[in-house]
Amino acid sequence: MRWIGPPATLVVAGVLVLLLLGGDDAQLTARTAGIALIGTGMVLAALLAFYAVGLSEDRARARGEESGPPAPGGRDPHHAAAADEPPTADGHASGVPTPPHARP
């Protein structure tokens, strides 16, 4: 949350430049500067959002939590045992019987 300061400051500065210097007879330089400040603030906000997501994923990975699909060619460690078991009488590999309401 502390990262919102710099982008917000740039956006507010850009709005102020446009309001104070960007009237009908404004110079092209003032308008350009205001739009550039707002755009830079927005891009910086998006960049910091993606950076925060990446950091949280790195922290989760360091704690040993796994999210998302398994790597290509890899096996899902949570379902590895089920794939090694022979199928049951009703054709399922998990060994868990099919609930009565799901049987044909």
Side-chain angles (χ1 to χ4, degrees), residues 48-72:
L48 290 174
F50 281 102
Y51 182 67
V53 169
L55 279 180
S56 69
E57 289 175 352
D58 289 343
R59 288 182 189 133
R61 197 173 304 119
R63 286 191 307 260
E65 298 173 8
E66 189 171 326
S67 64

Side-chain angles (χ1 to χ4, degrees), residues 69-94:
R75 291 179 36 172
D76 186 358
H78 302 292
H79 298 2
D84 294 336
E85 295 176 4
T88 59
D90 60 355
H92 289 82
S94 67

Side-chain angles (χ1 to χ4, degrees), residues 14-67:
V15 169
L16 288 175
V17 166
L18 288 177
L19 289 177
L20 299 176
L21 304 175
D24 291 335
D25 57 346
Q27 295 179 355
L28 179 61
T29 306
R31 278 192 204 155
T32 305
I35 292 171
L37 286 170
I38 293 171
T40 303
M42 295 294 200
V43 168
L44 185 59
L47 177 125
L48 290 174
F50 281 102
Y51 182 67
V53 169
L55 279 180
S56 69
E57 289 175 352
D58 289 343
R59 288 182 189 133
R61 197 173 304 119
R63 286 191 307 260
E65 298 173 8
E66 189 171 326
S67 64

